[in-house]
Amino acid sequence: MSLRLGDIAPNFKAQTTAGEIDFYEYLGDGWGVLFSHPADYTPVCTTELGKTAALQSEFAKRNVKVLALSVDPLDKHLGWVNDINETQQVSVGFPIVADEDKSIANAYGMIHPNASETFTVRSLFVIGPDKKVKLMITYPASTGRNFVEVLRVIDSLQLTAGFSVATPADWKEGEDVIVVPAVSTEDAIKKFPKGVKVVKPYLRYTPQPNK
Ligand code: BEZ
């Protein structure tokens, strides 16, 4: 059975470019992003890890620890990091897991045999402080992910974890949000003193409550 939203993210111990880590200890009480890439020394993966490194301060600002993974060995990761740093003008500061026995890839369903029997696809999991899976995305090897979009989703996940709101299509930090259907308009007016705009009884907006 593969992982689904709301499931507990499996813990693991792993060899990484930053030494051996215990995943839960690495995450501490904060949020996490665990993402796989198909292989080291490949072009799209090089840009993805470079982009993630460029956004390290944005992840840190949101109390998110990042962990990359592929089934390549540690010495390969270590050599490749130099190339990422050189070609993407970054300094990769997050660990990369060497999951040679594929135990983590299998636990997280990162190998999709009809895409590749041997390599992980581009899976990405956002894990909350309760260690539950909050977001899963899967991209094929041919398509690099948008890590600014990952940050946008994390903003939504962190906001909606604390308030009875949801975020509309294309929402960005600072924009109006939606009052969840479970809250009556009468209660919403009390809960959200910045105001509630009722477009339809089921479509109600309020300014972002934590701004
Ligand atoms: C890449 O990262 O460029 C890549 C990896 C595996 C297959 C295709 C592309």
Side-chain angles (χ1 to χ4, degrees):
M1 176 72 78
S2 56
L3 279 179
R4 292 180 289 201
L5 294 186
D7 289 354
I8 295 286
N11 194 24
F12 54 82
K13 286 190 170 49
Q15 297 299 328
T16 81
T17 50
E20 184 173 307
I21 66 158
D22 173 287
F23 187 44
Y24 280 11
E25 276 177 22
Y26 175 67
L27 295 179
D29 295 331
W31 292 69
V33 167
L34 172 67
F35 70 110
S36 59
H37 59 275
D40 297 356
Y41 293 105
T42 52
V44 177
C45 300
T46 300
T47 62
E48 282 197 324
L49 270 73
K51 185 67 187 192
T52 307
L55 293 171
Q56 276 164 147
S57 63
E58 292 297 323
F59 285 105
K61 216 193 281 178
R62 292 162 175 81
N63 195 23
V64 178
K65 294 264 178 61
V66 172
L67 188 60
L69 175 150
S70 84
V71 299
D72 283 321
L74 193 55
D75 59 338
K76 212 168 169 188
H77 283 348
L78 290 166
W80 180 45
V81 164
N82 295 328
D83 278 11
I84 299 169
N85 290 343
E86 179 198 325
T87 62
Q88 310 301 303
Q89 288 99 47
V90 293
S91 176
V92 171
F94 52 86
I96 307 173
V97 173
D99 185 31
E100 282 190 87
D101 69 1
K102 303 188 173 108
S103 57
I104 304 164
N106 285 326
Y108 279 80
M110 293 166 166
I111 294 180
H112 294 210
N114 290 323
S116 166
E117 289 279 358
T118 42
F119 299 123
T120 44
V121 293
R122 299 188 194 283
S123 294
L124 185 146
F125 298 84
V126 175
I127 293 150
D130 56 4
K131 307 292 181 288
K132 289 185 179 166
V133 176
K134 307 295 182 185
L135 174 83
M136 300 163 56
I137 60 170
T138 309
Y139 277 39
S142 54
T143 306
R145 288 158 285 196
N146 182 331
F147 289 86
V148 173
E149 166 65 3
V150 174
L151 289 170
R152 188 193 74 85
V153 179
I154 290 168
D155 286 340
S156 171
L157 291 170
Q158 293 185 340
L159 173 69
T160 59
F163 296 90
S164 306
V165 296
T167 58
D170 298 337
W171 173 85
K172 289 193 289 302
E173 180 77 5
E175 294 178 356
D176 286 357
V177 298
I178 284 172
V179 178
V180 295
V183 176
S184 68
T185 297
E186 191 188 352
D187 286 347
I189 290 163
K190 289 184 211 140
K191 257 181 195 283
F192 303 114
K194 290 178 190 163
V196 176
K197 187 170 117 195
V198 181
V199 179
K200 292 279 182 191
Y202 60 85
L203 178 59
R204 298 150 313 158
Y205 291 89
T206 189
Q208 185 174 331
N210 62 348
K211 281 277 155 187

